[in-house]
């Protein structure tokens, strides 16, 4: 399918998820998406991808159920909690389907109708994702090998030794990348 | 002349990096630049394509003329068609989502025609034909380095500069890359390599520049420079096996 058309459909589907807050609509969308995931044989990759977000879904449902009607449990709150979680799940699945079923080169073409500087920024951001996750994993392993405990309750002190080198390295890389792009004629009028 | 540097001084804020550099590189030379870490090799190379003084901030004086173009008067993008620069770490420069897009990036910037043909030829030169649709992130380090070389070759520059191209490569990939460079040099390209491994320079370069503390301490034919035991030992540079 044409990547631009696919991107257009993604935008339409995502927008409708925001405006039609209706359980029946969400349920039908979820069934269609699950069928697509199975149809493209992506279900086995989707489950581990979405798994880390389970905590967020549960948190949304619990918070909505307990705070919707004052500080007490309410069925309406539970209903809206499920609705909001389902909405995020569907939006995430839509993006997953779009990225997984579009070859990288077509992904770049999907954005070429945007102003050049915007599409370049999007392509740069997309291309950096695998690099950043690899780098973060390497830094975490390096800190682990120095006996760092990532299960410490203090999130700030836990992630500082990862985020500082990660940001430092990414800033350095982006600076060098800008030089490399100029060296290949980027910015020529 | 491919490159003519006269009385070049450059300093980053608070640190003088290049001091009175005078250097001439002839068309078709294969030049190796070597020296201790932090001696100013990469900074020197940044002067060749105009990154200094246009993109890297600092105090610059002197003149650098590359392929007849004064780098002070021409922007980096204007120099890009004449001088190709391969950075030390391929991850600093690869950003596209496919090999083809990466190689065609410079061609599109310079508005060069026959993009598909040039991309195919450049990839064939580095032995990566048929990999146009591969995502660069999935390539090995050696292949990424070859991709960077191909993306520069596609622009058909007269001078190719490589900053420590084999620093993270195994021996086979290293031989492979230098084989490509030697072939390009035989075809008439001027090749400049910043390299720590003097064995590679002894084997492939026809001229060597020794740099220390921002100054050229010795320059000349490879054998003459790399067999100067005293100079190399003083700088802590390995004496190549061929000249021991």
């Amino acid at each position: 399918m044409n990547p631009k058309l696919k991107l257009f459909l993604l935008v339409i589907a995502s927008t409708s998820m925001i405006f039609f807050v209706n359980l029946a609509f969400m349920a039908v969308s979820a069934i269609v998406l699950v069928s697509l995931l199975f149809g493209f044989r992506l279900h086995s990759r989707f489950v581990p991808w979405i798994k880390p977000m389970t905590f967020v879904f549960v948190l949304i449902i619990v918070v909505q159920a307990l705070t919707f009607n004052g500080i007490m449990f309410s069925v309406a709150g539970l209903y809206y909690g499920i609705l909001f979680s389902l909405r995020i799940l569907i939006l995430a699945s839509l993006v997953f389907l779009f990225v997984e079923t579009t070859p990288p080169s077509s992904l770049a073409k999907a954005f070429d109708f945007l102003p050049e500087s915007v599409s370049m920024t999007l392509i740069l951001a997309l291309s950096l994702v695998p690099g950043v996750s690899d780098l973060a994993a390497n830094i975490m392993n390096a800190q682990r090998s120095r006996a760092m405990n990532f299960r410490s309750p203090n999130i700030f002190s836990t992630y500082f030794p990862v985020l500082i080198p990660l940001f430092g390295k990414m800033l350095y890389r982006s600076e060098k990348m800008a030089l490399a792009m100029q060296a290949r004629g980027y910015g020529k009028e | 002349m491919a490159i003519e540097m006269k009385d070049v001084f450059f300093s980053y804020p608070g640190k003088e990096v290049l001091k009175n550099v005078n250097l001439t590189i002839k068309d078709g030379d294969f030049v190796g630049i070597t020296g201790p870490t932090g001696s100013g090799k990469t900074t020197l190379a940044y002067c060749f394509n105009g990154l200094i003084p246009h993109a890297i901030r600092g105090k610059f004086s002197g003149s650098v003329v590359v392929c007849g173009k004064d780098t002070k008067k021409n922007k980096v993008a204007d120099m890009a068609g004449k001088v190709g620069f391969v950075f030390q770490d391929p991850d600093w420069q690869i950003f596209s989502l496919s090999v083809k897009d990466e190689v065609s990036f410079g061609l599109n910037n310079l508005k060069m025609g026959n993009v598909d043909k040039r991309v195919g030829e450049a990839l064939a030169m580095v032995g990566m034909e048929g990999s146009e649709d591969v995502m660069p992130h999935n390539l090995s380090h050696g292949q990424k380095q070859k991709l960077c070389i191909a993306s520069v070759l596609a622009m058909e520059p007269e001078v190719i500069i490589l900053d420590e191209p084999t620093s993270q490569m195994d021996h086979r990939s290293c031989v492979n890359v230098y084989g490509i460079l030697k072939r390009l040099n035989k075809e008439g390209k001027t090749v400049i390599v910043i390299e720590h491994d003097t064995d590679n320079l002894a084997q492939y370069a026809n001229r060597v520049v020794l740099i220390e503390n921002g100054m050229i301490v010795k320059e000349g034919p490879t054998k003459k420079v790399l067999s100067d035991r005293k100079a190399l030992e003083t700088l802590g540079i390995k004496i190549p096996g061929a000249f021991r």
Side-chain angles (χ1 to χ4, degrees):
Chain A
M1 193 193 281
N2 183 321
K4 269 183 213 148
L5 177 64
K6 217 189 263 188
L7 182 66
F8 176 71
L9 290 175
L10 173 72
V11 173
I12 295 289
S14 309
T15 314
S16 59
M17 279 305 131
I18 293 164
F19 287 108
F20 296 103
V21 189
N22 176 306
L23 194 58
F25 178 71
M26 298 275 179
V28 171
S29 306
I31 290 166
V32 172
L33 273 171
V34 169
S35 316
L36 284 172
L37 285 170
F38 274 93
F40 285 111
R41 295 169 191 269
L42 290 170
H43 53 285
S44 54
R45 294 232 298 274
F46 178 73
V47 175
W49 184 78
I50 201 75
K51 211 173 168 182
M53 285 177 75
T54 315
F55 172 73
V56 178
F57 298 139
V58 173
L59 189 72
I60 290 171
I61 293 169
V62 171
V63 170
Q64 283 287 330
L66 296 178
T67 60
F68 189 75
N69 206 358
I71 309 291
M72 60 180 287
F73 176 79
S74 70
V75 178
L78 183 67
Y79 173 77
Y80 278 107
I82 292 170
L83 213 59
F84 285 134
S85 292
L86 205 54
R87 182 197 272 174
I88 295 169
L89 179 66
I90 290 170
L91 286 171
S93 317
L94 281 167
V95 174
F96 177 83
L97 255 176
F98 174 69
V99 173
E100 288 294 320
T101 59
T102 314
S105 53
S106 308
L107 210 56
K109 284 187 189 98
F111 300 116
D112 67 6
F113 66 94
L114 294 166
E116 204 258 338
S117 56
V118 178
S119 64
M120 179 58 76
T121 308
L122 283 169
I123 290 167
L124 278 169
L126 277 171
S127 70
L128 284 175
V129 172
V132 173
S133 57
D134 285 356
L135 185 60
N138 284 341
I139 293 170
M140 284 171 86
N141 286 338
Q143 308 300 34
R144 269 192 197 104
S145 60
R146 291 194 292 163
M148 178 156 180
N149 177 18
F150 281 99
R151 291 186 178 172
S152 158
N154 187 341
I155 292 173
F156 291 105
S157 68
T158 304
Y159 283 96
F160 247 57
V162 176
L163 292 176
I164 298 295
L166 185 66
F167 280 124
K169 192 102 178 161
M170 292 316 295
L171 283 171
Y172 185 70
R173 186 179 162 178
S174 57
E175 195 183 313
K176 290 288 176 187
M177 196 173 268
L179 291 181
M181 287 169 77
Q182 285 189 62
R184 285 190 287 160
Y186 188 69
K188 190 177 169 72
E189 285 146 21
Chain B
M1 282 307 160
I3 296 174
E4 223 171 341
M5 291 183 95
K6 275 186 193 160
D7 309 323
V8 171
F9 287 83
F10 180 74
S11 51
Y12 293 112
K15 193 189 174 197
E16 201 172 21
V17 189
L18 297 178
K19 299 163 193 165
N20 196 22
V21 175
N22 288 280
L23 178 67
T24 302
I25 294 172
K26 288 184 203 149
D27 288 318
D29 268 350
F30 193 130
V31 180
I33 299 175
T34 193
T37 305
S39 56
K41 302 184 292 295
T42 302
T43 307
L44 177 69
Y46 284 161
C47 294
F48 298 153
N49 71 337
L51 282 171
I52 291 176
H54 298 292
I56 296 168
R57 298 212 181 274
K59 204 173 160 194
F60 174 85
S61 68
S63 86
V64 182
V65 178
V66 182
C67 303
K69 284 184 161 187
D70 188 338
T71 57
K72 243 196 266 184
K73 293 174 188 158
N74 291 277
K75 287 181 187 167
V76 185
D78 297 324
M79 297 300 299
K82 297 275 181 196
V83 187
F85 200 115
V86 179
F87 284 70
Q88 188 179 351
D89 187 340
D91 288 330
W92 293 348
Q93 49 198 314
I94 294 173
F95 69 91
S96 299
L97 300 171
S98 72
V99 164
K100 188 187 168 185
D101 288 350
E102 187 61 32
V103 179
S104 59
F105 176 72
L107 297 174
N108 294 331
N109 289 331
L110 299 180
K111 298 183 174 58
M112 292 169 87
N114 292 329
V115 172
D116 287 350
K117 189 171 166 263
R118 285 177 201 262
V119 169
E121 283 171 359
L123 287 173
M125 271 192 250
V126 298
M128 284 182 71
E129 54 271 64
S131 58
E132 282 87 344
D133 293 324
V134 174
M135 194 177 182
H137 178 72
N138 296 330
L139 298 173
S140 68
H141 186 87
Q143 283 177 310
K144 280 183 186 173
Q145 193 62 274
K146 283 186 194 171
L147 171 58
C148 292
I149 295 172
S151 68
V152 160
L153 290 180
M155 298 190 289
E156 296 176 11
E158 291 169 37
V159 180
I160 301 167
I161 303 162
L162 300 99
D163 189 357
E164 299 191 30
T166 57
S167 59
Q168 296 174 56
M169 277 187 192
D170 58 43
H171 179 66
R172 185 184 289 181
S173 305
C174 179
V175 170
N176 211 320
V177 164
Y178 269 99
I180 294 165
L181 296 178
K182 195 70 200 168
R183 205 174 64 231
L184 290 166
N185 182 238
K186 276 185 182 164
E187 287 167 8
K189 305 272 185 207
T190 306
V191 178
I192 300 168
V193 184
I194 296 169
E195 181 65 275
H196 274 293
D197 190 337
T198 46
D199 284 316
N200 285 330
L201 297 183
Q203 195 176 347
Y204 297 100
N206 69 312
R207 293 187 78 78
V208 170
V209 177
L210 274 186
I211 184 166
E212 193 212 9
N213 202 17
M215 288 185 285
I216 292 176
V217 290
K218 202 167 176 76
E219 189 258 328
T222 305
K223 193 173 178 184
K224 188 181 160 202
V225 175
L226 293 183
S227 56
D228 186 343
R229 270 188 105 88
K230 201 178 164 196
L232 296 183
E233 277 170 0
T234 311
L235 299 179
I237 296 170
K238 188 181 80 175
I239 299 157
F243 302 135
R244 258 176 224 156

